[in-house]
């Protein structure tokens, strides 16, 4: 990944994790907890593509596995977010810009359901049966609702920041200035050629008129003689 991608992803993931652990996890909402970290990974994956999405998802999930008060096996959430980031990156728009909000909202719902199911499935493999006691259907519905309500305030901003970081303002300014210089050069050269051609044409017309006047004067003088 590029350096600007790494820096931006690290900052956004850390901020999302801090907000999720210190604010969202303490709301004591029924069912699941709004997954701000998942939405951050989705926003970055839909700009960086499947490879970048998988890397960002793995790093974000591993950080969440190690950050307190994590009570599950390390690497469990890293696997979940790595898969989700990879799949979300596969539907990256060609231009990097989303024309409609329907697609991203569907991705958010699918990611919320998929991450919950995948997390519960990995937990069942390692002997964690907490999802059975809480109720998997309630977790799925609440996760989808919470993430869908939070997504319009998170995903568009994440994608806008990621697209802005992808562009180099200095390079764009330099290229724009270069194009302006080239266009002005072409215009000035074209204008100069036109003006020079017009001046040459006018000079030729004047010289021809003078030659004709001289000839007419000579002819008139001969006739008078």
């Amino acid at each position: 990944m590029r350096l600007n991608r790494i820096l931006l992803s690290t900052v956004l993931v850390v901020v999302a994790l801090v907000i999720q652990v210190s604010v969202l996890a303490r709301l004591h909402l029924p069912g699941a907890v709004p997954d701000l970290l998942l939405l951050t990974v989705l926003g970055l994956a839909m700009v960086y593509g499947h490879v970048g999405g998988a890397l960002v998802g793995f790093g974000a999930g591993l950080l969440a596995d190690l950050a307190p008060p994590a009570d599950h096996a390390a690497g469990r959430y890293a696997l979940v977010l790595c898969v989700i980031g990879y799949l979300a990156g596969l539907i990256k728009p060609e231009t990097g810009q989303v024309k409609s909000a329907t697609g991203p909202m569907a991705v958010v719902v699918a990611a919320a359901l998929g991450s919950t199911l995948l997390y519960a499935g990995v937990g069942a493999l390692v002997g964690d049966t907490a999802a059975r006691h809480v109720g998997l259907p309630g977790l799925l519905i609440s996760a989808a609702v919470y993430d869908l309500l939070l997504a319009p305030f998170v995903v568009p901003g994440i994608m806008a920041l990621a697209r802005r970081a992808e562009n180099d303002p200095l390079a764009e300014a330099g290229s724009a200035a270069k194009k302006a210089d080239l266009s002005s050069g072409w215009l000035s050269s074209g204008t100069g050629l036109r003006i020079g051609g017009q001046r040459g044409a006018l000079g030729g017309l004047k010289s021809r008129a003078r030659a004709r006047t001289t000839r007419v004067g000579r002819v008139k003088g001969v006739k008078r003689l």
Side-chain angles (χ1 to χ4, degrees):
M1 294 180 66
R2 301 175 184 175
L3 181 60
N4 57 348
R5 289 187 177 185
I6 296 175
L7 294 177
L8 179 63
S9 302
T10 302
V11 172
L12 292 177
V13 166
V14 170
V15 172
L17 182 60
V18 170
I19 296 176
Q20 182 168 337
V21 172
S22 60
V23 178
L24 298 179
R26 298 184 179 182
L27 295 177
H28 301 292
L29 297 173
V33 177
D35 201 340
L36 183 61
L37 198 60
L38 173 65
L39 298 179
T40 303
V41 172
L42 289 178
L44 294 174
M46 285 190 286
V47 176
Y48 294 158
H50 59 282
V51 177
L55 293 176
V56 172
F58 179 80
L62 186 60
L63 187 62
D65 289 332
L66 301 177
D71 55 353
H72 55 269
R76 181 177 171 184
Y77 201 48
L79 175 62
V80 172
L81 287 186
C82 180
V83 174
I84 296 298
Y86 180 84
L87 295 177
L90 292 176
I91 59 174
K92 168 190 174 183
E94 296 181 357
T95 60
Q97 296 182 354
V98 180
K99 298 181 180 180
S100 175
T102 305
M105 293 299 102
V107 172
V108 169
V109 174
L113 298 177
S115 62
T116 304
L117 288 174
L118 187 58
Y119 186 83
V122 175
L125 293 177
V126 298
D128 185 3
T129 59
R132 296 179 181 177
H133 300 291
V134 177
L136 187 58
L139 287 177
L140 291 173
I141 296 175
S142 58
V145 172
Y146 294 154
D147 292 346
L148 189 60
L149 293 177
L150 190 60
F153 305 98
V154 178
V155 177
I158 296 295
M159 295 182 67
L161 288 175
R163 287 197 302 266
R164 187 173 182 180
E166 285 293 287
N167 300 325
D168 188 0
L170 296 178
E172 289 184 354
S175 61
K178 187 175 180 180
K179 290 180 181 179
D181 293 338
L182 290 174
S183 61
S184 62
W186 279 106
L187 290 175
S188 62
S189 62
T191 305
L193 288 175
R194 290 176 182 176
I195 293 175
Q198 290 177 356
R199 289 178 179 177
L202 290 176
L205 291 175
K206 290 181 179 180
S207 60
R208 291 177 185 177
R210 290 176 182 176
R212 289 179 182 177
T213 304
T214 305
R215 290 177 184 176
V216 171
R218 289 179 182 177
V219 172
K220 287 182 179 181
V222 170
K223 288 182 178 181
R224 289 177 182 177
L225 290 175

